[in-house]
Amino acid sequence: MTSGFQPSRLLSSQRNGLTDSDSQPDLDFMYDKNTINQAAIFIEDAIKYRSIFHKIDDSSLKLYRFFYSKTVQWGIHCTVFLIHILAFFERPSSITSNWSSDLTKVGHRWVAPCGLLQAVELLCLMVLLLEQLLKTHFIGWKRVKTSKWIIAAYIVCMFSISDCLVSVFLQCSNKVRVRRMLRPFFVIQRSTMMKKVWNCLRRTFPDIASVLLLLLAHLYFFTLFGMLLFPTPRHFYTFYGDLTIESDAVPHRTAVLLAELLSLGY
């Protein structure tokens, strides 16, 4: 027989005058900390629309709860904000000496020392890469293979780090910085609503592309049709001695007749 919780034994012990401490061994399973942590984390996942497919051992649950604490999440939000605000300080900088919005009075633009902004960006990228590593630890490599967002985050982080290192090695002389176009990905990845919008756009993109292609075909066809119906008037030049006649809207024969009449002295 199992030694689980038995209400009849609890009622009989209370009738026999036994205290709660005498019947405590039968209620030990109700105070299992790991079970309580699992229940609390599952409830938090349901409230915040997170996936429940993650590890539930004691050490992983503690790390999982610490990772999704307010302090850590605010730190990651600040990291994403910082990596986007760098665009205002990178070349060409938005900081000028006269602080004027008049384009005719643009003063000297502030130029950051080479390596300063790159160091801040590398630090932010390392934090975001560590975030993906922790998510990988929580759900395991098998589920990571099916998670397109985490795989895309790894690719964006590694490419951005490589591009940033190339900028440092070239002494900040490169004009094309592809990593700046990839920064909005971190905002989309962290927002559930943005993910839903992106998925809807991705599913409806073939229909939108077909409509745009049909519209382009109509514009091209009717443009050619209009050019054939209403051609551009040609320029006709007729020379009679020292007299030159240019005609735009008058037909060529009318211009010739007019030149003959003028040459006769009418």
Side-chain angles (χ1 to χ4, degrees):
M1 295 179 64
T2 59
S3 58
F5 176 67
Q6 299 179 2
S8 58
R9 293 182 58 186
L10 178 61
L11 293 175
S12 61
S13 62
Q14 291 178 352
R15 291 174 181 175
N16 294 332
L18 297 177
T19 60
D20 293 339
S21 59
D22 297 331
S23 59
Q24 187 66 28
D26 292 330
L27 303 177
D28 285 343
F29 76 100
M30 297 181 63
Y31 298 95
D32 186 7
K33 293 182 178 180
N34 191 22
T35 305
I36 295 175
N37 288 335
Q38 291 176 7
I41 289 175
F42 287 153
I43 293 174
E44 292 177 359
D45 292 340
I47 293 174
K48 298 181 179 180
Y49 302 100
R50 295 196 299 253
S51 175
I52 62 173
F53 298 103
H54 52 78
K55 297 179 180 179
I56 56 174
D57 56 281
D58 191 23
S59 59
S60 298
L61 287 178
K62 290 180 181 179
L63 185 60
Y64 183 87
R65 205 162 195 179
F66 172 75
F67 175 75
Y68 283 105
S69 61
K70 291 184 178 180
T71 305
V72 176
Q73 291 302 307
W74 269 105
I76 297 176
H77 285 308
C78 292
T79 303
V80 175
F81 173 78
L82 182 60
I83 199 173
H84 282 82
I85 204 68
L86 288 176
F88 293 95
F89 301 95
E90 295 174 341
R91 182 172 56 85
S93 174
S94 300
I95 302 176
T96 57
S97 57
N98 58 354
W99 298 93
S100 175
S101 59
D102 190 357
L103 298 177
T104 62
K105 300 179 181 179
V106 177
H108 177 70
R109 293 184 182 273
W110 178 75
V111 180
C114 182
L116 177 62
L117 299 179
Q118 285 76 10
V120 177
E121 186 176 4
L122 279 174
L123 181 61
C124 295
L125 290 172
M126 290 297 179
V127 173
L128 296 175
L129 183 60
L130 179 61
E131 177 192 8
Q132 305 307 319
L133 291 174
L134 288 175
K135 288 183 178 180
T136 303
H137 171 71
F138 293 144
I139 65 176
W141 284 104
K142 292 183 179 180
R143 293 195 175 275
V144 168
K145 295 179 181 178
T146 60
S147 179
K148 298 179 180 179
W149 287 102
I150 295 181
I151 295 175
Y154 274 116
I155 295 173
V156 171
C157 287
M158 298 304 297
F159 182 83
S160 300
I161 292 173
S162 302
D163 193 16
C164 189
L165 292 176
V166 169
S167 298
V168 175
F169 290 149
L170 295 178
Q171 299 296 322
C172 305
S173 61
N174 57 327
K175 296 182 180 180
V176 179
R177 288 158 288 183
V178 184
R179 65 183 184 276
R180 295 181 66 176
M181 296 185 289
L182 300 177
R183 288 174 183 173
F185 171 81
F186 299 110
V187 178
I188 298 175
Q189 186 201 16
R190 299 191 58 80
S191 175
T192 305
M193 294 303 298
M194 291 297 292
K195 286 182 179 180
K196 292 180 179 179
V197 171
W198 174 261
N199 290 330
C200 291
L201 290 176
R202 183 174 55 85
R203 286 194 296 266
T204 57
F205 180 77
D207 299 333
I208 297 174
S210 61
V211 172
L212 293 177
L213 184 61
L214 184 61
L215 178 61
L216 182 62
H218 277 77
L219 289 175
Y220 181 74
F221 174 76
F222 286 108
T223 301
L224 293 179
F225 192 68
M227 291 174 65
L228 293 175
L229 286 179
F230 309 101
T232 304
R234 298 180 180 180
H235 294 272
F236 300 99
Y237 298 92
T238 306
F239 300 95
Y240 288 92
D242 297 334
L243 181 63
T244 303
I245 297 179
E246 179 183 356
S247 177
D248 290 336
V250 183
H252 180 59
R253 293 181 179 178
T254 306
V256 172
L257 180 60
L258 180 61
E260 291 179 353
L261 291 175
L262 289 175
S263 63
L264 292 175
Y266 288 98

